[in-house]
Amino acid sequence: MAEVLPLVEARLTTTLGEPDARAAVTFLGTDRIEVLRFHEDLQGENVVRYATLGMSAHPMTDPTAMVADPVKGPRAELVLSVRAGLAETDKVLRALAVLAASPQVEGLVVAPGTSLDVGDPLWPGAPFSSVLVGEPGGLVEDLELDEPLDPVRFLPLLPMTPNEAAWKRVHGAGALQERWLANGTDLRDPHRKSAPLD
């Protein structure tokens, strides 16, 4: 089903413009995952977006299923947005590739509200080692595929501090996002502190 990927890349470039860099990572026993980098000027604020390409080549399969369906099942790619030039965020490429390969490697179904932890800072000096998977459709619209294939959803990744990740485990993803909103948390700040959680 590799023919899905050119359509995915076309949707990304139509929405975000031409990528100014790309890198590929291959893990043992998995397909190649690429990470594309896009720069965008939002009202004078330079934002860099990293999008995976390769995760959606196969549907994600419920790890409890006896047999993996090669056609049916959710498909997704991951998108991370951060303010540019404030940290070595390009080093996030490997972490993103690890997360994008997790459905193939671990049988994980990545869905909104899920926490994903890479075990190390997302980039050098980052106060985050985990992300919250956000709701799709806000930045890049879902890509409809021919039946019987499920659409490709572009899932935003929201970096979480360790405190926020622990709080989310107790209170849920919705409650954490409400805290971020109530406190005006800049989720694109690569150095931000934990939101107040009292």
Side-chain angles (χ1 to χ4, degrees):
M1 290 300 183
E3 63 269 18
V4 168
L5 297 183
L7 301 175
V8 172
E9 184 167 359
R11 172 57 56 90
L12 286 168
T13 55
T14 301
T15 306
L16 303 176
E18 287 297 320
D20 65 359
R22 62 197 306 151
V25 181
T26 306
F27 302 102
L28 191 63
T30 68
D31 293 340
R32 190 168 101 136
I33 302 285
E34 285 192 90
V35 180
L36 312 185
R37 185 182 71 189
F38 303 87
H39 273 95
E40 190 173 350
D41 194 353
L42 296 176
Q43 294 142 357
E45 182 183 67
N46 197 1
V47 172
V48 61
R49 304 192 194 279
Y50 302 94
T52 63
L53 179 63
M55 182 176 171
S56 61
H58 304 283
M60 293 181 276
T61 306
D62 184 332
T64 62
M66 295 294 287
V67 180
D69 189 323
V71 176
K72 290 291 288 174
R75 294 172 188 261
E77 297 290 353
L78 308 175
V79 182
L80 174 71
S81 302
V82 289
R83 287 184 13 222
L86 301 179
E88 289 183 84
T89 55
D90 280 355
K91 299 281 177 67
V92 79
L93 297 176
R94 184 166 179 80
L96 284 179
V98 166
L99 296 179
S102 61
Q104 284 186 69
V105 175
E106 300 170 40
L108 198 64
V109 176
V110 178
T114 306
S115 300
L116 301 172
D117 197 321
V118 296
D120 290 305
L122 293 176
W123 52 82
F128 326 101
S129 63
S130 62
V131 293
L132 175 65
V133 180
E135 291 290 337
L139 180 63
V140 184
E141 281 185 34
D142 293 356
L143 172 65
E144 297 294 333
L145 300 174
D146 293 338
E147 290 288 342
L149 304 186
D150 287 28
V152 177
R153 304 166 89 198
F154 298 87
L155 301 172
L157 299 182
L158 311 171
M160 294 187 291
T161 65
N163 282 353
E164 290 169 340
W167 198 84
K168 181 259 176 189
R169 280 194 292 277
V170 175
H171 300 280
L176 177 58
Q177 288 176 299
E178 284 171 19
R179 281 297 170 105
W180 283 338
L181 202 56
N183 289 289
T185 305
D186 181 1
L187 296 174
R188 294 194 292 244
D189 180 352
H191 297 298
R192 73 174 183 82
K193 302 280 188 281
S194 187
L197 300 171
D198 302 332

